[in-house]
Amino acid sequence: MANGSTLESSDSLKAFGAALKTFRERALMTQEQLAERLNYSHASVASVEQGRRMPTAAFVERAEEELEAFGVLQAMVRHLGRQRGLAVWFREWAQLEEVAVGLCTYECRVVPGLLQTEAYTRAVMLNVPPPPSEEQLEQRIAARLTRQELLRRRPPIAFGFIVEESVLLRHTGGEDVTRELIDHLLASTALWNVELQIMPLRQPYHAGTDGPMQLLETPERQWLGYAEGQKTGQLVSDRDAVSVMQMRYARMRSHALSPADSVGLLQRMRGAL
């Protein structure tokens, strides 16, 4: 997903954040202390309390136990809008992601949202007109960071990413942002369920010239596709069309750098910054 547009109300998340803060203060804990007890970062706890971030099921379960919240937090989380901060056309695909067993992504415009850093996300969103309001920007960033928890979901999802080298050479946001981004990508490749391949700048054979695409495998072993353009997104369920997307993705995998060579390229790019 490139950028969000129409957003849902944040009232339910703000209410949940206020309740979490109330129970935390009742327990005489600081945000830092609660973060340590929950095994989350201070920034994550702060974002949830501010209504900027969707809490995970694990977060809510641990918070209930640590704060003795009488089941209030678990009851409230059922009513949170999970589409907050996501573009209207992306919401159906985002719901499918949450139950997927496999996700494959080819991207030639930006680093895929699931692999972005917060600073890179901010730079991308501020560069594309019209400029978002501060509230819209924070909602979109929060939604993207929440989606990234899929990388460590249990049961795990098998991820495959093919990203154009040109996307990284663009240095979106400047060199500091790019350094952090490449470090993050290298860390992501250490996850056993994540495969990242870089499509080299010079590659005369390329099956992805029709643009970015995603493929998803459901628990029922059905494959679906998704393609996104300017302010639009299309879910592809037709078997023949999905088969074509699978063939193209397979061809791109064979023409991109191997995962090991991709890591080597990222390390060289990082060293050159």
Side-chain angles (χ1 to χ4, degrees), residues 1 86 90 93-94 97 112-114 142-151 214:
M1 180 181 66
L86 297 179
F90 188 74
W93 186 257
E97 284 183 329
L114 289 170
R144 194 153 300 182
L145 293 176
T146 298
R147 280 184 62 231
Q148 291 180 1
E149 294 173 5
L150 290 172
L151 295 173
Q214 297 187 58

Side-chain angles (χ1 to χ4, degrees), residues 177-196:
V177 172
T178 303
R179 287 190 193 96
E180 181 189 30
L181 174 66
I182 293 177
D183 286 342
H184 180 69
L185 292 176
L186 287 168
S188 297
T189 63
L191 297 173
W192 72 270
N193 59 320
V194 174
E195 180 181 83
L196 172 62

Side-chain angles (χ1 to χ4, degrees), residues 134-149:
E134 184 63 28
E135 182 179 5
Q136 287 175 327
L137 179 63
E138 294 304 324
Q139 286 181 7
R140 295 174 191 178
I141 291 173
R144 194 153 300 182
L145 293 176
T146 298
R147 280 184 62 231
Q148 291 180 1
E149 294 173 5

Side-chain angles (χ1 to χ4, degrees), residues 11 13 28 30 71 84 104 123 125 129 146 150 162 206 234 259 271:
D11 288 349
L13 275 177
L28 303 178
T30 64
R84 175 177 174 265
C104 299
M125 291 181 175
T146 298
L150 290 172
I162 301 174
H206 200 319
Q234 179 183 7

